Amino acid sequence: PAAVAAADAAQRLAAEITSEQAGSGSVLYVIVDGVVGGVMLLDDALKPQAAATVQQLRGLGVRPILLTGDRSAAARRVARAVGIGEADTHAGLLPADKQRIILAHTWPQDEPRAQDLEQSMLPRAGRGPLVVGFVGDGLNDCPALASAHVGIVLQEVGTQ
């Protein structure tokens, strides 16, 4: 009886969760014997110094751009929190997409590598090649990390 009541409550909660309520997180459903036994919402937390770091980089003349495989809602939330504009926020990217964007910034004269990119992503004419750094936190960032002039890996021990 208690287990049935808990499963019923979880089932009702699962039915009520909308993508709006889930926000930028991922909703996981725990299924037990074909019935929703629980619902979990997972979301990334920003490091406390993230916004200050972006502001300091801007002060040094760096243009921060957010490239992520996360959904648009998650990317926009993070970008707003750290002060990156919507035009510099790109979500739903595969590793090859991130690499193509990095290559377009690193070697703008190499048009084949830059094809299919929005014009806003390319350096302004006359500025020449930019020095590009990429900060990544996972294995899927390896192609972009290797393509940048400077690759910085942020990894906690034991997470990948």
Side-chain angles (χ1 to χ4, degrees), residues 73-152:
R76 285 192 309 271
R77 179 184 61 83
V78 168
R80 275 193 304 270
V82 300
I84 295 176
E86 197 166 319
D88 288 331
T89 302
H90 304 273
L93 301 177
L94 296 173
D97 299 327
K98 294 177 189 179
Q99 182 183 34
R100 196 167 41 255
I101 292 169
I102 294 299
L103 286 171
H105 280 2
T106 308
W107 308 108
Q109 71 279 8
D110 191 353
E111 190 58 37
R113 292 182 183 182
Q115 73 185 135
D116 297 328
L117 290 177
E118 300 174 29
Q119 286 298 322
S120 66
M121 291 302 299
L122 297 174
R124 290 191 182 93
R127 286 180 61 185
L130 302 174
V131 175
V132 175
F134 184 84
V135 179
D137 67 353
L139 292 174
N140 64 344
D141 290 327
C142 288
L145 286 161
S147 298
H149 292 109
V150 178
I152 302 167

Side-chain angles (χ1 to χ4, degrees), residues 6-76:
D8 286 343
Q11 193 86 10
R12 283 192 305 280
L13 179 60
E16 291 176 10
I17 293 178
T18 65
S19 59
E20 180 87 16
Q21 290 168 320
S24 60
S26 297
V27 180
L28 300 178
Y29 300 96
V30 179
I31 309 295
V32 180
D33 294 329
V35 176
V36 177
V39 181
M40 293 185 282
L41 177 62
L42 303 178
D43 205 356
D44 291 325
L46 289 175
K47 301 227 181 276
Q49 67 276 20
T53 300
V54 169
Q55 186 176 8
Q56 288 175 338
L57 288 169
R58 281 192 194 286
L60 295 172
V62 173
R63 175 184 170 200
I65 298 174
L66 177 62
L67 307 177
T68 181
D70 291 345
R71 295 181 305 174
S72 292
R76 285 192 309 271

